[in-house]
Amino acid sequence: MDVVRDADEVFVLPGARTGREPERSLRPGPRRLTAEQVASRQRERLLDGVARTVAANGYAGARISDICRAAGVTRPVFYELFSGKEDAVIAAYLGGTRIVVRAMEQAYGAAGGAAAWPAAVRAGLGAMLDLLARNPVFATMVVEIECVGPAGRRARAELLASFRRFFSDAPPAPSGVERGELVDAVVGAVHAAVHRTVDEGRSEALPALLDVLVHVVLTPFHER
């Protein structure tokens, strides 16, 4: 996989902004925004509100009224965009994790991709850890998504499956070892280390995991 994205792309995770920032408000009166643009802006604000409310209260303690208050969006608008709390939390998690993967792809490609797999892996992992450390509100969702139930587990599985793309350039698996199972085991180990650090309230320490995680990823694929 060789992916190089615009180096100027800005990666903004749910919860990085507040829904009540003045420049994001929709003032009454004539508007130049289309209905679709208005809905998109309100949805973004609600996703920020979801991340901030879940980070503050946990999934179980997050109320739709609190999400709406954090976003500066009314309850009727919330229900125009989401079927309920579970739907909104899944949307925030999947939207944010896709942004994280895009940041990893950019760093991976810029570091050489297939031509320099170990360096590209380090760059991709570093991008993930740095982005989550700078956005502890969203990082909390790595843990809280498990409280959502079956839908949350499916969303987590979707995220973990998306990391398989970074192994398309890896050397062959050891003889007798099924490659797909090995990749999934390595991805699971990386996720577990990130999960533990966030769950302990140490999101700011995530970048310190880089050397360990690079070792975890590269070692099973060392050419023999």
Side-chain angles (χ1 to χ4, degrees):
M1 181 192 72
D2 252 325
V3 179
V4 180
R5 294 184 181 273
D6 182 356
D8 294 328
E9 184 175 356
V10 177
F11 301 104
V12 181
L13 297 179
R17 299 170 294 179
T18 69
R20 292 181 173 274
E21 292 171 351
E23 63 272 19
R24 302 179 75 192
S25 63
L26 297 172
R27 295 178 177 83
R31 293 177 181 152
R32 295 183 179 179
L33 298 177
T34 66
E36 291 77 12
Q37 290 172 324
V38 169
S40 177
R41 184 172 294 187
Q42 290 172 325
R43 187 177 190 277
E44 287 180 358
R45 289 165 60 185
L46 281 166
L47 294 180
D48 285 325
V50 166
R52 286 174 171 265
T53 303
V54 169
N57 304 309
Y59 175 74
R63 301 180 302 178
I64 291 175
S65 58
D66 295 329
I67 292 170
C68 292
R69 188 176 303 110
V73 174
T74 66
R75 195 180 183 95
V77 168
F78 175 93
Y79 280 108
E80 289 175 8
L81 297 169
F82 302 106
S83 61
K85 181 174 76 171
E86 178 182 295
D87 184 32
V89 170
I90 294 293
Y93 174 80
L94 287 178
T97 53
R98 287 166 186 158
I99 291 170
V100 172
V101 172
R102 287 208 311 271
M104 294 177 69
E105 287 176 338
Q106 182 186 93
Y108 181 96
W117 190 66
V121 165
R122 172 174 284 274
L125 287 171
M128 174 188 70
L129 296 172
D130 288 344
L131 188 55
L132 291 177
R134 294 198 309 271
N135 294 273
V137 167
F138 180 78
T140 302
M141 299 196 75
V142 172
V143 174
E144 290 298 325
I145 195 65
E146 297 180 356
C147 301
V148 179
R153 292 191 291 273
R154 287 193 296 271
R156 182 187 60 194
E158 179 180 324
L159 167 67
L160 297 184
S162 73
F163 290 129
R164 293 170 183 163
R165 71 190 72 180
F166 296 105
F167 293 84
S168 61
D169 304 320
S175 177
V177 175
E178 203 284 313
R179 183 183 180 85
E181 293 292 343
L182 178 60
V183 168
D184 286 348
V186 170
V187 168
V190 171
H191 182 268
V194 172
H195 182 287
R196 183 187 66 250
T197 303
V198 174
D199 194 31
E200 292 173 351
R202 300 188 299 113
S203 296
E204 75 287 349
L206 285 169
L209 295 176
L210 181 58
D211 287 342
V212 170
L213 297 189
V214 169
H215 181 76
V216 167
V217 172
L218 298 185
T219 299
F221 297 94
H222 277 170
E223 296 188 53
R224 293 164 174 80

